[in-house]
Amino acid sequence: MTTIPTTITAGRNEPLGARFDGEGVNFALFSEHASRVTLCLFDETGRNEVANIDLPECTHHVWHGHIAGLKPGQHYGYRVHGPYRPDQGHRFNPYKLLVDPYARRLSGHPVWHDALMGFEMGSPRADLSFDKRDSAPYVPRSIVVADGFDWGADRPPGTPLTDTVIYEAHVRGLTIRHPQVHAPGRFRALASDQMLEHYARLGITAIELLPVQAFLNDRFLVEKGLRNYWGYQTLGYFAPEPRYMENGDIAEFQRMVARLHAAGIEVILDVVYNHTGEGNEMGPTLSFRGIDNASYYRLADDRRHYIDDTGCGNTLNIGHPMVLRMVMDSLRYWVEVMHVDGFRFDLAAALGRGPQGFDTRAPFFQAVRQDPVLSRVKLIAEPWDIGPGGYQLGGFPAPFLEWNDGFRDAVRSFWRRDPGRAPDLAGRLVGSAAQFDHSRRPATSSVNFIAAHDGFTLADVVSFATKHNLANGEDGRDGHDANYSDDLGTEGPTDDPAILTARAQRRRNMMATLLLSQGTPMILAGDELGNSQQGNNNAYCQDNAISWIDWHGTDDAFLRFTARMIAFRKAHPVLRQKLFLHSHERAIDGIEDLFWRRADGAPMTRADWENPELRLIAVELRTAAGTPEYAAQEHAIFAVLNAGAAVEVSVPEAPPGQSWSLQLDSSRPDSAPEPVRGRLAMPAEAVAVLVLEPVP
């Protein structure tokens, strides 16, 4: 067994975390209310605690010390001393080994045992009691990591938002059932040759990964034989999730990013800075709670209980400068050291909460906007939480984009033929201007999607009228009830050719709608393949075939259609403009660029829009000559979305020297372009797109 050095000197109070400097390791841990911090060192196996050393100095509430001779790979943890006064917000318990919030690597996951609790389970007013069992056998070790990955010529793709097509994916679920990749379910597989070929065929420009920061498996799931699959229970904001690595080396993540970048694909991380995996006062003491509960969490007036704006038991106290610093340090780390290109913030409304509620000038937003590193990457907000006034769609400051669930619901309900939904969809088609056209925000601010990890897949939207979540072990009570879905005649799988044809048609209609809309499109990984979750719309705990993408059952025809639609979007900048389109005269050049038509060609009236039986949307989008994307001629697209019966549609008159070409008919997905003059025979429940082209 290797002898571990234990002689400690004062060291430095920053950077926070455990940093190897070539001669040893400097340890620095923030705790404003601790009375003593003990560093615990473990042998090379991580099993045996071989030294307990008090950090000798505390500077500005940062406890620190340096041990010469320690090297990368060293396993460690902390025991933090201080008052155990839950009524005052303090829950220090030195019997509990704690994960370093700045740890860049963790050895694994917590092993559930009552010793992980800072209190005695089952006692009266349990969380006020004090438990003296040692939790070290059940807590993952923090591990010292060396810097120095050779990035070579890696450069961020820097794809403009107007050209971005996001692909939301799960590291494990995307590749675990792929028949050809090496290391399925791991970071390496995500950037394998086979997956890079798929991304290129599809045409996506960015992959948005469900949480890859280290997270835990909830105890109630483990006791039911389930796992935290999605990953929204973060334990370490700097450490990659161990289950996605082969050998525990963070370079595995870096190599994945480098290969994706070389293929022109950006990497966006779904991050969870609104809460941690420690839960409420009845949760475990794993890190933040034992280090400084009163600083890390927002507490209720009685200081014993937690403010829960997230539905997960606790809410991080982003208003505390050192907690905000941790979040900012973490984000910069993933950009500067791991080379990611952006972030999607889970329950982002919680990050903007202050004493008076949600505030666009909250410390987090101000910190991000002024940061020279973070202000240049892609930032996407999930614009809600469950707290008071938590739904903030359209309310985030620049440069944030926002997930637009209104777009999802409008597309689903329109194609389901719900009465009165045409006006809503029309607004979504042109970037949801009612929500986003203010404060000089671009049309790309709206992240449009039909399906995401949370909810039905696209195939299930057209195959199930209700959710089927019994496998989650909650008697079907969990998950959304308002899915705006339709089984088209039979619930679930069927061999009926008429139903299968109708389902395929509706999927094409919805995918076409997504990719014809102004904004930033996002596709759920697997939707292009026809992937199903058997009607489960809350598969957060299904680390199995329910959630894993079925590569053996690929719907190649729909994959071709989706790729064709992405290519069509890329070929026509009129579909992906930065500025909002308006049906009134534009202030810049006095030229109208948005025209809503009836089937007979006449302009839409208020009465037309207010007709609840309106099933057809016909819109002409124009971009004037002389814009940067185009040369001398005016370009236009005429799109018809018909959720009703077949009808003849008048086509706008083409300017001299140009004519209309039918480029897409979703009822004939493989049809070649054909000229159209005067009138278009519009099929029932279909999408047609015409393009204005020069006359040969």
Side-chain angles (χ1 to χ4, degrees):
M1 182 179 294
T2 304
T3 301
I4 295 177
T6 58
T7 300
I8 193 165
T9 57
R12 306 178 307 279
N13 67 319
E14 56 180 70
L16 291 166
R19 298 294 293 271
F20 176 66
D21 59 11
E23 297 180 355
V25 177
N26 190 80
F27 296 90
L29 180 76
F30 161 74
S31 180
E32 182 175 349
H33 299 100
S35 59
R36 189 170 114 222
V37 174
T38 302
L39 171 67
C40 305
L41 301 179
F42 295 80
D43 64 13
E44 60 268 25
T45 70
R47 298 190 189 95
N48 303 305
E49 194 170 346
V50 296
N52 287 272
I53 309 162
D54 287 347
L55 294 182
E57 295 288 339
C58 182
T59 305
H60 308 312
H61 304 305
V62 175
W63 302 77
H64 54 94
H66 183 277
I67 300 180
L70 285 186
K71 298 179 179 180
Q74 176 64 53
H75 291 65
Y76 71 100
Y78 290 107
R79 299 180 187 275
V80 181
H81 306 254
Y84 191 82
R85 289 294 306 274
D87 60 319
Q88 297 178 6
H90 301 309
R91 295 180 180 270
F92 295 101
N93 187 332
Y95 295 97
K96 310 305 169 183
L97 185 74
L98 304 173
V99 170
D100 181 1
Y102 277 73
R104 298 186 177 193
R105 178 183 165 195
L106 297 185
S107 63
H109 300 94
V111 177
W112 286 107
H113 189 277
D114 287 353
L116 294 175
M117 306 298 173
F119 55 88
E120 296 177 353
M121 293 283 288
S123 62
R125 305 182 72 194
D127 72 294
L128 299 180
S129 62
F130 187 78
D131 186 89
K132 294 185 177 182
R133 284 173 292 185
D134 183 11
S135 70
Y138 314 104
V139 176
R141 313 303 186 224
S142 304
I143 302 175
V144 178
V145 172
D147 295 326
F149 180 78
D150 182 6
W151 284 98
D154 180 70
R155 294 291 184 275
T159 307
L161 283 174
T162 50
D163 300 341
T164 296
V165 179
I166 299 172
Y167 188 67
E168 191 201 24
H170 188 282
V171 172
R172 181 169 165 83
L174 179 59
T175 62
I176 190 67
R177 298 182 71 184
H178 197 290
Q180 296 175 313
V181 301
H182 296 290
R186 313 286 180 141
F187 290 128
R188 181 155 70 110
L190 200 75
S192 62
D193 290 343
Q194 295 83 357
M195 292 308 304
L196 294 179
E197 180 182 347
H198 179 71
Y199 307 145
R201 179 185 180 187
L202 186 57
I204 57 104
T205 69
I207 187 164
E208 181 180 303
L209 299 177
L210 267 70
V212 299
Q213 295 171 331
F215 57 86
L216 56 80
N217 290 309
D218 309 76
R219 187 172 191 171
F220 80 95
L221 291 178
V222 172
E223 291 174 348
K224 291 193 293 186
L226 299 170
R227 296 177 73 184
N228 176 7
Y229 174 68
W230 286 348
Y232 293 95
Q233 290 285 39
T234 309
L235 180 58
Y237 288 111
F238 293 78
E241 168 54 35
R243 74 186 69 181
Y244 301 148
M245 296 189 286
E246 296 172 79
N247 303 308
D249 186 352
I250 69 170
E252 297 175 41
F253 181 92
Q254 294 165 313
R255 283 191 289 269
M256 174 196 75
V257 172
R259 282 182 58 82
L260 288 167
H261 281 181
I265 296 171
E266 296 181 307
V267 179
I268 298 171
L269 302 188
D270 194 336
V271 288
V272 190
Y273 295 107
N274 57 79
H275 76 281
T276 78
E278 289 187 307
N280 61 18
E281 64 276 1
M282 301 304 293
T285 297
L286 301 172
S287 180
F288 314 94
R289 174 175 284 128
I291 293 170
D292 193 345
N293 185 68
S295 293
Y296 275 106
Y297 293 117
R298 294 180 61 208
L299 302 178
D301 291 341
D302 65 2
R303 309 298 290 168
R304 173 186 171 187
H305 298 96
Y306 294 75
I307 293 174
D308 183 13
D309 289 329
T310 66
C312 300
N314 63 59
T315 306
L316 267 181
N317 184 17
I318 304 295
H320 191 289
M322 292 301 286
V323 181
L324 177 60
R325 175 180 170 181
M326 178 191 72
V327 172
M328 299 297 290
D329 286 349
S330 169
L331 291 169
R332 279 190 295 267
Y333 172 77
W334 286 97
V335 174
E336 295 183 307
V337 178
M338 307 300 253
H339 281 207
V340 305
D341 305 281
F343 304 94
R344 179 266 189 190
F345 295 91
D346 178 65
L347 300 181
L351 304 178
R353 287 191 176 275
Q356 307 304 318
F358 182 81
D359 186 355
T360 58
R361 297 167 297 178
F364 172 73
F365 297 139
Q366 303 227 33
V368 167
R369 294 178 70 185
Q370 63 78 42
D371 190 278
V373 173
L374 302 180
S375 59
R376 60 180 172 83
V377 301
K378 290 181 170 66
L379 303 172
I380 304 170
E382 183 182 43
W384 52 79
D385 63 15
I386 67 165
Y391 189 74
Q392 292 291 331
L393 180 66
F396 280 71
F400 282 88
L401 287 67
E402 300 177 37
W403 267 30
N404 189 347
D405 62 326
F407 180 94
R408 175 199 63 200
D409 297 346
V411 172
R412 292 186 184 187
S413 58
F414 175 81
W415 288 111
R416 196 175 66 168
R417 296 169 53 84
D418 291 358
R421 297 312 301 266
D424 188 13
L425 181 59
R428 307 298 176 180
L429 283 170
V430 290
S432 297
Q435 287 74 35
F436 295 103
D437 189 9
H438 61 83
S439 308
R440 294 188 177 272
R441 298 187 72 179
T444 49
S445 298
S446 174
V447 175
N448 301 328
F449 62 98
I450 312 163
H453 70 274
D454 186 1
F456 278 149
T457 67
L458 178 56
D460 287 354
V461 171
V462 300
S463 303
F464 296 90
T466 59
K467 63 186 180 183
H468 295 263
N469 294 358
L470 288 177
N472 297 351
E474 300 179 46
D475 296 323
R477 293 186 300 271
D478 62 303
H480 299 292
D481 291 315
N483 297 294
Y484 303 100
S485 62
D486 184 5
D487 62 21
L488 282 94
T490 297
E491 187 75 356
T494 181
D495 294 325
D496 187 318
I499 294 176
L500 292 175
T501 298
R503 289 177 177 177
Q505 175 70 33
R506 188 165 293 183
R507 280 193 291 139
R508 290 194 296 270
N509 292 343
M510 288 193 282
M511 186 62 75
T513 305
L514 172 66
L515 292 164
L516 292 171
S517 298
Q518 304 292 323
T520 304
M522 183 185 79
I523 297 170
L524 174 64
D527 276 356
E528 77 279 14
L529 308 173
N531 188 64
S532 171
Q533 291 180 169
Q534 292 86 56
N536 191 318
N537 76 345
N538 188 34
Y540 75 102
C541 57
Q542 299 299 328
D543 189 1
N544 52 48
I546 291 176
S547 292
W548 300 340
I549 291 175
D550 180 12
W551 290 90
H552 298 280
T554 295
D555 183 344
D556 199 62
F558 192 65
L559 173 57
R560 289 197 310 272
F561 179 82
T562 304
R564 179 183 177 186
M565 286 303 312
I566 293 175
F568 182 83
R569 180 182 181 86
K570 290 182 178 180
H572 297 283
V574 69
L575 296 174
R576 44 187 178 83
Q577 300 187 62
K578 179 180 179 181
L579 299 178
F580 283 92
L581 300 169
H582 294 288
S583 54
H584 56 74
E585 290 188 348
R586 296 190 301 187
I588 296 174
D589 52 22
I591 300 174
E592 292 179 285
D593 51 20
L594 177 63
F595 305 85
W596 302 102
R597 310 281 191 191
R598 298 191 321 204
D600 63 6
M604 291 286 290
T605 66
R606 180 185 294 273
D608 294 325
W609 286 118
E610 292 176 350
N611 179 5
E613 298 306 312
L614 178 64
R615 297 282 187 269
L616 183 139
I617 297 173
V619 60
E620 182 182 358
L621 313 174
R622 288 187 176 269
T623 296
T627 54
E629 296 88 352
Y630 293 107
Q633 283 189 306
E634 185 173 45
H635 286 245
I637 281 177
F638 183 58
V640 183
L641 290 73
N642 180 26
V647 64
E648 279 202 340
V649 175
S650 291
V651 175
E653 183 177 352
Q658 293 183 282
S659 62
W660 290 104
S661 170
L662 177 62
Q663 299 279 328
L664 170 74
D665 178 350
S666 66
S667 69
R668 298 180 294 138
D670 296 318
S671 60
E674 56 191 65
V676 176
R677 293 179 178 85
R679 301 185 71 80
L680 170 69
M682 185 66 206
E685 299 192 40
V687 175
V689 184
L690 291 77
V691 176
L692 195 61
E693 293 184 334
V695 173

